[in-house]
Amino acid sequence: MIPVKRLTAMLLALTLPLLAMAEEAPKEGEAPKVAYVDLVPSLVGNYGSGPRLKYYKADISLRVSGPEAQEKVTRHEPLIRNQLVMLFAQQTDESLGAAESKETLRQEALKQVQQVLHSEEGQSLVDDLLFNNLIIQP
């Protein structure tokens, strides 16, 4: 026969993980948790035209809602990176130089990432795109 204290301890040990898992599930009416997907390594490449090579380096994070969206975005990261590299290669000194121009580029990058994911998954999944670091060498 098992002593009552030992039985209580065993039942408690078995129920604690279940309680922890129940707390992690989003409650009805609650917004899903925000997650960030970092595109690692940084995007590095050439941009513009002319006789002299111009370089950029961009550290980018994508804001998504929930772990399911995070997993899907991570799965399509190579396609997202390709789209962003193509977008950066089309830029000029003017489109990368001023703060307003960088904001326009950020919005265009977000739009293109959302389009790629919409064509692959049927939904855009990415809520925002952030430049953690954007360095250019004209």
Side-chain angles (χ1 to χ4, degrees):
M1 181 167 203
I2 300 175
V4 174
K5 287 184 181 180
R6 181 181 267 177
L7 181 61
T8 305
M10 286 179 10
L11 288 175
L12 186 59
L14 293 173
T15 57
L16 282 178
L18 295 174
L19 290 173
M21 286 176 23
E23 289 177 12
E24 290 176 10
K27 294 176 179 68
E28 192 172 321
E30 244 184 49
K33 299 204 186 262
V34 173
Y36 292 90
V37 177
D38 294 326
L39 299 183
V40 179
S42 303
L43 297 176
V44 179
N46 299 328
Y47 72 94
S49 60
R52 190 166 168 223
L53 288 177
K54 302 169 188 176
Y55 302 96
Y56 69 87
K57 176 185 177 205
D59 293 325
I60 297 175
S61 291
L62 305 172
R63 188 179 74 193
V64 298
S65 298
E68 184 180 318
Q70 185 177 8
E71 186 271 324
K72 288 178 180 179
V73 168
T74 302
R75 184 177 344 129
H76 295 293
E77 186 177 335
L79 188 56
I80 292 168
R81 292 176 70 82
N82 178 67
Q83 193 68 29
L84 292 173
V85 166
M86 293 299 159
L87 176 64
F88 274 94
Q90 297 170 359
Q91 300 308 305
T92 63
D93 288 334
E94 293 78 32
S95 66
L96 289 174
E100 303 85 31
S101 301
K102 289 179 185 175
E103 177 59 20
T104 304
L105 176 62
R106 187 191 70 78
Q107 290 174 359
E108 179 61 28
L110 173 61
K111 183 175 134 187
Q112 288 195 17
V113 167
Q114 288 175 334
Q115 286 174 347
V116 164
L117 289 169
H118 195 296
S119 69
E120 293 296 316
E121 291 289 335
Q123 50 187 337
S124 59
L125 297 173
V126 175
D127 301 325
D128 204 1
L129 181 143
L130 307 167
F131 290 144
N132 295 330
N133 197 5
L134 180 58
I135 301 170
I136 60 169
Q137 182 182 3

